[in-house]
Every structure is written in structure tokens, then in C-alpha cells.
Amino acid sequence: MRERFRRGGALTALLITVFMDMVGFGIIIPLTPFWAERFGAAPDTVTLLFATYSAFGLAFSFLWGWASDRWGRKPVLLASLMGSVLSFLWLGFAEALWMLFAARAVGGISGANVAVGQAYIADVTTEKNRARGFGLFGAAFGLGFVLGPAIGGILAGPDPADPDFRTPFMVAAAMSFVGVVFGLVFLPEPKRRERSGARYSVPAQLAGFARIVAMPAVAVPLLCFTMLGFVMGGLESTFAIWAEREVRWGPRETGFFFAYIGVLLIVVQGWLVGVLVKRYGEARVAAPAIAAMAAGIGMLPFSGTVPLIAVSGALMTLGYGLGQPSLTALISRASPTDSQGAILGVTHSIQSLVRVVGPITAGALFAAYGRDMPFLVGAAILAVAFAVALSLIRGRLGRAG
């Protein structure tokens, strides 16, 4: 009983620590594109700012995991969270565009600590309740992302022509710092589990990718998963600057919209996906989900009013919220049992990579062909993904291995 209580307390402390940091992260989401434009950033430069964060996160994700194995989960986690505090402060005090890029690079390095949090959960949970622990970890992220953008929008003020940028960034830094202090006081260092013999090296990742290519039952949902992430990365990085030009939204309105999306995503991924997958199966959920997201992003250029934007956002959220976990489950279920870790590791790496390439591509389309082009191209890509996903429903692909 005492051990169970200790594990539960450790998990709760981790969730609170992560939640506080995610509120801080969520606060800056609706503000960053507008802040960059204040320093003369063009649309393709704004999206490059998003890509910078993702690129540094991709580069440092394995390093944080290795460091936590060597020096402990708690010190590495708190050090990375302190990096988030410094990143938010640097954003708030920035006086040139290069400072925004530097601050987002620091933020990407710090935000690459998800693997450390997951390792912590693995250390403080049993096999029986580990899935629940990961679910709560995701819920802490989601709830922070719901509250953060709303807080950021409110702090920015009601005037889209003259928002207050520095106050929200300072509050974001303060929220993350509270998380650091809370973790320092209440977060225990977990007992380390036995290390497996696995080596997460680049050759191992490449070997895992080669195996995926040879397995159509894995490669097809992975291809859909990649296209979904690519389009979502482009959407997230261009929506604010699109809304600014299309409906004159500022940080306040954009923050409320992202909070609305966050609430929908919690409902979809926290409840609806489980109900639908249980009844229809992953493949029959994934294909319509991709179609819903394609419809949502395709109608966005023709949504010149708030109600239509809300409908478009709901369709996109429904599609991504159902499609992403369904495709992940298909990849896992079709993989040979002896290589699931490698394949899912490659899946995570590809998802991180498209979060770099997607914003860069969307920004180039925005700058060269106008504000609607990233969404029209995204809808076309998802139409292809839908056609590919139909093969999963037809059952033409068997289980690999």
C-alpha cells in the first residue's frame, strides 16, 4: 500500500509539473506569429520560426533521454523546464528578430524532454497501469494547451492593432518557473528500472525504417500518418497570419480559437476515438477521419466569418484527433512483435521531421502564392492520403511478419 501511494504521489507531482509548463507554452502560441511580424518577419519567416522550434526538439530528444538515464530523471527534467523559462523571458525581452529565433531554438531544446517524462512514468507505474499513466500525461499536455492560449489571448488585450506582447511572455515564464519550483520540492527521483539491451542509435533507427518500407501493412498507415502530420504542421504555423489578413484577428481572437480547438481535441481523443475504434476498428475510423480533416482545411479559404471558421476548425480537429491515434494503432498492430519499439521510434522521428518540413513548405506557399494556398495544397495532400487509407478498409494489406 505504501509503495502504491508513493508511486501515485510521484505521478501526480510529475503531471502538475508538466501541466504548469504546458500552460506557459500554450500562452505564447497565439502571440509568437504576431510578435515576429512586429520585427518585420514575412509569412515564410514566421513559419520558419515554428520549424526552428521543431528542428531543435528533434535534434535534442535523444540527448535528453540519454542524460536522464545517466544523471537521473528529476534533474534533467527540471533543467529542461528551466530552459523553457529562459526561452519565454528571452522572447519577452527580444529587441530583434534573431533573438526570437534564438529563443525558440532554446525552447525547442527544452521542449524535447517528452521522452524524459515518459521514462519517468515508466519508472513509477506498473505494467498494469502504465497506459493510464501515459494517458494522464497526454491529458496534462492537452489541458495546459487549452488554458494557455486563452490566458495568452486575454493578456494580449482586446485591441488587435496594439496587443500587449511582453506581459503574456512574462506570465508564461512565471507559470513555467512555478512548475520548476513545484518539481524541485515535490517531485521525487524514481527508482531506476533495469536497463534493456536496446540501443537507440541512428543505425538502429535507419534499420527500423528499412523494415517499415518492406512491410506494406505498416508502410501504408505510416504514409498516411506522415501526410497528416505534414499538413497539420503547416496549418499550425500559418493559421494565425491567415486569420490576421482574412478576418482581422489578433492574438486575443487567435488564442480563443486555439483554446476552442484544444477543448474539442480533448473530447475527441479522450472519449470519441475510443468509442468509434471499439465499434468500427482503426481502419474504418482512420479513412473518414482523414476525409474530415481534408474537408475542414479545404473549406478554410472560403470561411470569411467566425461561424464558418469554427466549423472548419471542428472538422480539422475531428479528423486529426481521430486519425492520428488510429493510424498509430494500425502501425503498432501490424508490426512484428520483436520490432515494435524500433518502428514506433521511427514513427515518432518522422512525425518530428514533418513538423520541421511542413511549416517551411507552408510558409513558402503562403509567400509565393497567397494566404489560401497552404490550405488548398494541404487539402489535396489529404485527399491523396484518404485514397491511400481506403486500401486499409478494403483489407488488401495483411499483418506484417
Side-chain angles (χ1 to χ4, degrees):
M1 180 64 72
R2 181 179 298 177
E3 178 66 15
R4 183 178 179 182
F5 180 79
R6 185 190 67 80
R7 289 178 180 273
L11 179 59
T12 300
L14 174 70
L15 296 177
I16 294 174
T17 302
V18 169
F19 167 74
M20 297 300 293
D21 184 59
M22 280 308 300
V23 171
F25 177 79
I27 287 173
I28 75 166
I29 290 297
L31 300 166
T32 303
F34 300 99
W35 191 219
E37 287 184 322
R38 284 293 180 94
F39 294 101
D44 52 347
T45 306
V46 172
T47 55
L48 188 59
L49 198 60
F50 282 81
T52 298
Y53 177 89
S54 299
F56 276 86
L58 174 63
F60 279 81
S61 59
F62 293 112
L63 179 61
W64 282 125
W66 170 81
S68 74
D69 282 339
R70 182 167 185 178
W71 291 302
R73 312 291 189 217
K74 178 176 178 175
V76 171
L77 185 63
L78 295 183
S80 65
L81 295 180
M82 197 63 207
S84 295
V85 175
L86 297 177
S87 171
F88 299 152
L89 288 174
W90 202 351
L91 282 170
F93 287 109
E95 296 181 350
L97 185 60
W98 72 265
M99 294 183 179
L100 298 188
F101 276 92
R104 294 311 286 146
V106 173
I109 294 171
S110 304
N113 58 13
V114 175
V116 182
Q118 291 175 335
Y120 190 102
I121 291 174
D123 288 335
V124 301
T125 57
T126 63
E127 291 186 5
K128 184 177 180 180
N129 64 4
R130 191 159 301 149
R132 176 176 175 271
F134 285 127
L136 291 173
F137 187 69
F141 268 77
L143 186 58
F145 191 77
V146 169
L147 295 178
I151 294 172
I154 292 171
L155 292 174
D159 186 1
D162 187 27
D164 179 359
F165 289 106
R166 298 192 188 275
T167 298
F169 287 127
M170 296 303 103
V171 173
M175 293 293 290
S176 291
F177 185 71
V178 169
V180 173
V181 173
F182 181 90
L184 188 65
V185 175
F186 296 105
L187 190 68
E189 176 65 29
K191 292 182 179 179
R192 197 68 52 83
R193 292 184 179 275
E194 295 276 338
R195 291 189 188 181
S196 68
R199 290 285 185 264
Y200 296 99
S201 61
V202 172
Q205 293 290 303
L206 294 176
F209 180 73
R211 296 193 68 174
I212 289 175
V213 173
M215 301 172 184
V218 176
V220 169
L222 178 65
L223 177 61
C224 296
F225 182 88
T226 301
M227 288 190 280
L228 202 68
F230 177 85
V231 173
M232 179 56 75
L235 170 68
E236 290 174 343
S237 62
T238 54
F239 176 80
I241 53 178
W242 175 85
E244 180 187 27
R245 289 158 175 78
E246 182 71 21
V247 288
R248 301 294 185 268
W249 279 7
R252 184 184 181 90
E253 294 80 8
T254 305
F256 290 159
F257 178 79
F258 278 121
Y260 160 73
I261 293 298
V263 171
L264 293 180
L265 194 60
I266 288 176
V267 174
V268 172
Q269 292 196 327
W271 170 71
L272 187 59
V273 67
V275 173
L276 293 180
V277 166
K278 184 177 180 179
R279 182 167 184 176
Y280 299 107
E282 290 92 345
R284 293 186 181 276
V285 171
I290 294 171
M293 186 172 174
I297 197 170
M299 74 173 285
L300 190 58
F302 309 100
S303 304
T305 64
V306 173
L308 287 177
I309 293 174
V311 172
S312 172
L315 286 171
M316 289 186 288
T317 305
L318 180 68
Y320 187 77
L322 293 175
Q324 193 257 0
S326 298
L327 291 168
T328 303
L330 283 169
I331 294 168
S332 176
R333 190 158 55 86
S335 303
T337 55
D338 63 348
S339 60
Q340 291 236 349
I343 290 176
L344 291 176
V346 171
T347 300
H348 177 74
S349 298
I350 291 175
Q351 180 76 349
S352 299
L353 181 60
V354 297
R355 291 285 181 158
V356 177
V357 180
I360 293 174
T361 304
L365 291 171
F366 196 114
Y369 301 105
R371 61 177 177 259
D372 294 334
M373 189 56 65
F375 309 126
L376 296 176
V377 171
I381 291 173
L382 291 177
V384 174
F386 171 70
V388 173
L390 288 177
S391 64
L392 297 169
I393 296 179
R394 297 189 188 111
R396 293 180 178 177
L397 303 172
R399 177 182 170 88

